[in-house]
Amino acid sequence: SYDIVKSCVTERIGKFTKLEVLTLCPSLGSSSVESALKKLVDEGYLVRIGSGRKTQYVKADAIKHNM
């Protein structure tokens, strides 16, 4: 699931939510996507913005390019 989620989010531009990732990866369940997103945040590949239902993610390199 980690590799599937990573390949889906690699092509994303801007912010996205877990729900959008679930739509992009219909073969995965919510908990699989959640754990993959957490691992990608822990590795520094993604940055989490907000918390709870309003949580969004963005690729870390996108933030660095905009600074």
Side-chain angles (χ1 to χ4, degrees), residues 13-61:
I13 297 172
K15 297 176 186 174
F16 54 90
T17 65
K18 180 179 81 170
L19 184 60
E20 290 173 310
V21 177
L22 281 166
T23 304
L24 290 170
C25 309
S27 64
L28 299 177
S30 181
S31 60
S32 296
V33 168
E34 223 169 279
S35 64
L37 288 171
K38 183 183 181 321
K39 186 174 180 181
L40 289 165
V41 169
D42 291 345
E43 292 174 349
Y45 186 76
L46 296 178
V47 174
R48 189 176 75 200
I49 302 167
S51 61
R53 292 171 48 118
K54 296 185 183 218
T55 303
Q56 294 183 317
Y57 299 89
V58 65
K59 289 188 289 188
D61 62 353

